[in-house]
Structures are given as structure tokens and as C-alpha cells.
Amino acid sequence: MSQRPAIELREYVTSDRSLQVDEARGVIHNVRVLGLRSANNRTYAREAVAKARGLYEGKAVNTNHAPRNSTEGRSVYDRVGWLEKVRQDSDGGLRADLHYLTKHPMAGALVEAAK
């Protein structure tokens, strides 16, 4: 079995509805995880997104998308939270609840941006 080369994918989306912030529990509900069309003109099939849904459950959320170079590991300071309750939205994309580390230096900015 041949191994596929690693590729880096980045997504950028804007919110199309208001997020619900629960500061007491450290959760931002209804965060967009993946859309069917990205800002860089990538298009994803609804069926493929549905199959990928489970891959996002429990995944870490970091303040930076990737280490500075391929030989460097991820810094513990990058970790800001994780995803739970990943679900496919009516438009075919994925949404989830972002559980954030309330003591993380970026937590305040994250909450402010979500509000």
C-alpha cells in the first residue's frame, strides 16, 4: 500500500448566523467547521462531508493552523479547545460546539469575536 503525500488544507468562512456563547461552560455553540465551498474555490460534495463528520469529533482546535515548519511539533500554547457534537447543517456543511480553554490567553478574544 503506497502512502499518500501530506497536504495542508486551510479553510476560511464567515459566520452566516449568530453564534451562541456559554462563557460559564466555556463553549461556543454552532461554530462552522467546514462548508461545501471555500474562499479558495474548493468545492466539497455533500456526501463526502457527511462521511468526514466523524473525523472532526473531539479534534483539537489550535490558534495557529500549522507548526512553523514540517520538522517542528505543535506548541502546547497553540491548543485553545476541541470540537464536540459535530453535525451536518441543512446547507450540507459541518457545525460543532467549540469547547475552549477558559484560561487560555486567547479565550477572551475568541469569545469577543464570537459575540
Side-chain angles (χ1 to χ4, degrees):
M1 177 184 241
S2 65
Q3 191 173 17
R4 294 182 187 181
I7 60 170
E8 180 179 329
L9 297 175
R10 292 183 183 210
E11 287 295 317
Y12 174 83
V13 295
T14 55
S15 178
D16 57 341
R17 64 173 104 170
S18 41
L19 302 172
Q20 299 167 353
V21 180
D22 183 345
E23 288 185 74
R25 291 191 172 96
V27 180
I28 302 173
H29 298 279
N30 214 30
V31 171
R32 170 66 86 182
V33 176
L34 179 66
L36 296 184
R37 177 173 284 269
S38 70
N40 59 4
N41 293 322
R42 293 190 192 282
T43 303
Y44 304 103
R46 183 182 290 259
E47 297 78 20
V49 171
K51 288 179 182 178
R53 185 180 61 83
L55 298 173
Y56 291 90
E57 188 67 35
K59 288 298 179 191
V61 174
N62 299 294
T63 57
N64 295 308
H65 281 280
R68 290 183 186 95
N69 62 57
S70 61
T71 60
E72 191 176 303
R74 175 150 322 267
S75 169
V76 68
Y77 297 106
D78 289 346
R79 178 73 35 88
V80 71
W82 66 95
L83 300 174
E84 289 187 9
K85 297 182 183 173
V86 180
R87 57 210 173 264
Q88 193 163 26
D89 205 0
S90 60
D91 67 4
L94 297 180
R95 293 197 179 268
D97 295 340
L98 168 57
H99 291 254
Y100 63 91
L101 302 171
T102 58
K103 303 292 185 192
H104 192 283
M106 292 295 297
L110 187 66
V111 168
E112 186 176 350
K115 284 182 175 182

